[in-house]
Amino acid sequence: MSRRILLVDNDRAFHRLLAEQIGPYGFEIITASPTDPDVLAKVTSVSPQLVIIAVEEPDKVGYSLCNKAKKGVGA
């Protein structure tokens, strides 16, 4: 049984590191760009158990996505 994590981050090195470190424990890492206008729609289509959003993105994009997600955009 694969558990899904939606990783919203542009850092490809972090994508690889996360996949290498927790992939063996049955986690599937699904990556998305924070600049994708439909990135939060992936929450409903992918049904992840965890969503990780990089808040340090330029122009406060990460913080904006976090606020939208907290308001239930992905629910």
Side-chain angles (χ1 to χ4, degrees):
M1 177 181 179
S2 180
R3 296 171 286 184
R4 293 184 180 127
I5 296 175
L6 178 60
L7 175 60
V8 183
D9 190 353
N10 282 327
D11 185 347
R12 293 200 182 274
F14 183 62
H15 296 179
R16 284 189 302 277
L17 176 67
L18 194 61
E20 289 171 4
Q21 295 296 314
I22 65 173
Y25 297 100
F27 289 94
E28 175 186 4
I29 310 300
I30 299 164
T31 60
S33 172
T35 57
D36 178 353
D38 297 323
V39 68
L40 291 179
K42 288 191 177 197
V43 172
T44 54
S45 66
V46 172
S47 299
Q49 282 70 42
L50 175 67
V51 178
I52 301 172
I53 300 173
V55 294
E56 76 279 353
E57 291 297 319
D59 300 322
K60 299 187 180 183
V61 171
Y63 284 107
S64 175
L65 284 174
C66 282
N67 287 330
K68 287 178 185 176
K70 287 193 306 187
K71 291 178 182 176
V73 172

